[in-house]
Amino acid sequence: MNTRTDGIVIAIDGPSGAGKSTIARLLAERLGYIQIDTGAMYRAAALLLSRAEINLDNLAAVEQFCQNIDIRLESDSGKQVVCANGIDVTDQIRTPEMSLLTSRTSTLRPVREALLKSQQQMGRRGGVVLEGRDIGTVVFPDAEMKFYLSATVEERARRRCEELTCKGEKVTLDGTIADVVERDRQDSERDIAPLRQADDAIAVDSSRLSIEEVLTIMVTMCRNKIEAMEPLP
Ligand code: DC
């Protein structure tokens, strides 16, 4: 039975700093779709685990805790709000400490299993743009449209450096390059659902393209796909 009553499923995977969040938000806006930032869900789970002081080496305790977590992505006047067990954690999940903790907790099987279920539930009717690391390979291997958005390490580090400098943080390009390389390694070398380009994903290298250029490519391909899937009158 076709459960895609609201449109197609669009998967955007790729390493950190490739521009997935910005592109996913704009693509969803243009198509009238819902954006699902799965990285934000992993961050919110990490925050809950840390606040509850769960021992991450005790997988049984992590599993039990994850059975009762409730993570929602809501929209407030166009801004994405992340709620964890009913509390708005949108800003708290974006600190460097949470990035570090999330790269550890997102390797844990009970965390991934809990979030996998809710991501599949949220997207099953279609009309969604999901972004993450394992959307096209694990969460929705049957997604109608898959993109793998990447950029060179240097370019991703340059963008990250610029973003952090704007926030008033003191960072160097060399230090940021090292961080980017390390996060790529962690994301792609983990045992469960590693970062990998799905065989049927379209690779988009954003290194030398503006946001608008990347968006134009992706919107056009998605619209063509949506039109091709709509039954003729
Ligand atoms: O995209 P992000 O930087 O907000 O992701 C935060 C962390 O979550 C990052 O370490 C990778 C991990 N993640 C994941 O393992 N699987 C996903 N589908 C999305 C994010």
Side-chain angles (χ1 to χ4, degrees):
M1 195 184 68
N2 182 18
T3 57
R4 307 272 213 260
T5 50
D6 299 348
I8 64 168
V9 170
I10 301 168
I12 306 181
D13 290 304
S16 58
K20 293 189 301 295
S21 295
T22 308
I23 295 294
R25 178 173 53 77
L26 295 171
L27 182 61
E29 263 171 37
R30 297 264 173 110
L31 299 174
Y33 275 23
I34 292 168
Q35 177 200 2
I36 301 177
D37 177 352
T38 62
M41 297 175 76
Y42 280 99
R43 287 170 181 271
L47 185 73
L48 288 177
L49 284 160
S50 129
R51 286 194 177 159
E53 296 182 9
I54 304 294
N55 174 3
L56 300 180
D57 294 322
N58 181 347
L59 285 188
V62 174
E63 183 173 356
Q64 197 182 17
F65 184 78
C66 286
Q67 277 163 3
N68 296 310
I69 59 176
D70 176 29
I71 295 168
R72 289 170 198 235
L73 302 176
E74 291 165 5
S75 173
D76 182 13
S77 322
K79 183 183 175 252
Q80 185 187 262
V81 174
V82 186
C83 286
N85 290 353
I87 296 165
D88 180 346
V89 295
T90 314
D91 296 325
Q92 287 98 305
I93 60 172
R94 297 288 165 196
T95 63
E97 295 75 37
M98 285 316 300
S99 299
L100 208 64
L101 182 66
T102 309
S103 67
R104 167 145 191 238
T105 54
S106 64
T107 64
L108 303 175
R109 186 175 294 278
V111 174
R112 297 209 76 86
E113 280 174 356
L115 294 188
L116 172 66
K117 257 196 231 154
S118 71
Q119 288 160 11
Q120 288 175 331
Q121 184 70 15
M122 288 160 97
R124 74 186 205 291
R125 284 207 214 91
V128 285
V129 179
L130 291 112
E131 46 145 324
R133 307 292 190 285
D134 60 341
I135 310 301
T137 50
V138 176
V139 185
F140 281 102
D142 61 345
E144 285 77 13
M145 201 74 231
K146 296 182 189 177
F147 294 103
Y148 188 83
L149 187 61
S150 65
T152 60
V153 167
E154 291 74 20
E155 178 57 21
R156 288 186 285 127
R158 194 193 61 72
R159 292 175 190 167
R160 179 93 187 116
C161 227
E162 208 171 271
E163 191 186 315
L164 292 173
T165 310
C166 280
K167 283 188 188 166
E169 291 186 35
K170 289 214 173 348
V171 285
T172 62
L173 184 59
D174 283 350
T176 314
I177 288 178
D179 287 351
V180 168
V181 169
E182 178 54 18
R183 277 188 81 185
D184 284 0
R185 194 191 60 73
Q186 284 181 0
D187 285 348
S188 51
E189 287 184 6
R190 68 171 174 236
D191 291 336
I192 319 167
L195 169 66
R196 185 172 70 71
Q197 180 178 338
D199 295 339
D200 51 351
I202 295 155
V204 180
D205 183 341
S206 73
S207 307
R208 289 164 179 270
L209 298 175
S210 67
I211 291 171
E212 197 48 47
E213 286 170 324
V214 173
L215 196 59
T216 304
I217 296 171
M218 291 170 61
V219 168
T220 308
M221 298 187 94
C222 290
R223 288 215 168 112
N224 288 344
K225 179 60 110 183
I226 293 166
E227 271 168 32
M229 304 231 2
E230 274 169 7
L232 294 171

